[in-house]
Amino acid sequence: MKVQEVIEILERLAPKTLAMSWDNVGLLAGRRDREVTGVYVGLDATETVIQGAIDSGCNMLLTHHPLLFSPVKKVNDEDFVGNRILTMIERGISYYAMHTSYDSAPGCMADRAAELLGIRDGMPLEPVNEDGEPPCGIGKVGQLMEPVTLEQLCARVKEQFRLPAVQVFPAVEKGISRIAVSPGSGKSMISLAIGAGAQVLITGDIGHHEGIDASACGLTVIDAGHYGLEHIFIPHMAGFLREQLGTGVPVIEAEFHIPFRFL
């Protein structure tokens, strides 16, 4: 199977048309006509992940976050981005990123996060195809089967996403039944969550001012971290590709590794 054939499978699941206009998704480095020896799945194209692909004999790398996001004027070994690209090209690795296309696609990031949290009858927090069926977009907002306390909800987040801790900006402590989740960076989702009637927003990358302002507006924010919520991309996409590619093409998952520590 060639790289282009794998790309076609990926884009049937998460079409590039679902990506936000500011995003950079698709084949970012490498050749489409190369025969695939294996696919390595990670969240970010770090040195560790790229080396993992090399060590496992995979010549296709799939990540959620794109290594190439802003325009680059040179590709050399003088900075970490150029050095990573050179390593992949020199090793014959074709590199594909599916970012907000995966965030928005039905059955992908938003839906999987909502399922883990027990959100029922969820609707997109930021729709990208309001006329589509089913409607899809960034994040999800909906009802829990039974009301919970903030402490119980935090325990659920930590258990379902395998996290040692979360940061909380409290506003509502009890009787929580309507929640929103937006894996990744959720600063821009606060007003959308409030507008959707959510009592709690579960997301990442919340700063001090955003957190206290949300709390002042009556919205509790649980910051579970950027990696903390989005690492579910790895097992989901690895499982999907194993089903689609069969036994002929190995699919290897990057190890679960939170990129920071609590001391």
Side-chain angles (χ1 to χ4, degrees):
M1 179 172 285
K2 296 189 182 298
V3 169
Q4 178 59 32
E5 295 175 273
V6 177
I7 289 174
E8 290 169 2
I9 291 170
L10 294 174
E11 293 182 358
R12 284 199 295 269
L13 176 71
K16 290 170 66 177
T17 54
L18 292 180
M20 306 301 280
S21 60
W22 46 261
D23 202 5
N24 189 31
V25 300
L27 184 66
L28 304 188
R31 297 186 179 278
R32 294 176 180 270
D33 60 355
R34 194 179 296 277
E35 197 71 25
V36 178
T37 61
V39 182
Y40 197 86
V41 185
L43 194 71
D44 298 278
T46 63
E47 285 87 353
T48 300
V49 166
I50 294 170
Q51 190 60 49
I54 295 169
D55 292 344
S56 59
C58 296
N59 68 349
M60 184 171 184
L61 174 61
L62 170 65
T63 69
H64 181 48
H65 298 134
L67 175 61
L68 292 171
F69 195 79
S70 302
V72 295
K73 295 184 177 181
K74 57 184 178 180
V75 177
N76 57 36
D77 60 359
E78 293 177 358
D79 64 75
F80 73 94
V81 173
N83 199 50
R84 293 177 192 177
I85 295 168
L86 283 175
T87 299
M88 287 189 282
I89 291 174
E90 290 169 351
R91 294 289 189 147
I93 294 174
S94 296
Y95 168 48
Y96 189 97
M98 48 196 308
H99 189 209
T100 53
S101 54
Y102 178 84
D103 286 337
S104 302
C108 293
M109 186 71 82
D111 286 338
R112 295 196 65 78
E115 181 182 354
L116 287 171
L117 293 168
I119 294 176
R120 299 182 305 152
D121 304 322
M123 294 298 292
L125 196 54
E126 183 179 5
V128 299
N129 72 334
E130 295 184 71
D131 299 326
E133 185 57 45
C136 59
I138 307 294
K140 212 80 170 178
V141 60
Q143 300 294 130
L144 298 178
M145 185 171 295
E146 295 180 354
V148 296
T149 66
L150 178 57
E151 184 175 344
Q152 289 171 329
L153 183 56
C154 288
R156 183 181 301 184
V157 172
K158 289 188 288 184
E159 177 183 4
Q160 293 297 325
F161 291 90
R162 303 166 58 191
L163 305 175
V166 293
Q167 182 180 28
V168 181
F169 294 92
V172 182
E173 298 275 358
K174 298 179 180 179
I176 296 168
S177 59
R178 185 168 178 80
I179 68 173
V181 60
S182 183
S185 182
K187 295 178 182 180
S188 64
M189 309 302 275
I190 290 173
S191 60
L192 293 173
I194 293 172
Q199 296 164 286
V200 178
L201 170 64
I202 302 162
T203 189
D205 293 350
I206 296 297
H208 169 77
H209 295 289
E210 293 86 9
I212 62 173
D213 289 349
S215 181
C217 292
L219 177 71
T220 291
V221 177
I222 298 175
D223 187 336
H226 203 125
Y227 182 94
L229 294 177
E230 289 194 327
H231 68 82
I232 60 175
F233 168 86
I234 300 171
H236 177 229
M237 285 309 304
F240 170 79
L241 285 174
R242 290 186 187 111
E243 290 179 358
Q244 296 293 316
L245 305 181
T247 58
V249 179
V251 179
I252 310 297
E253 300 176 38
E255 292 184 5
F256 173 78
H257 175 69
I258 298 175
F260 60 88
R261 291 185 292 168
F262 294 96
L263 297 177

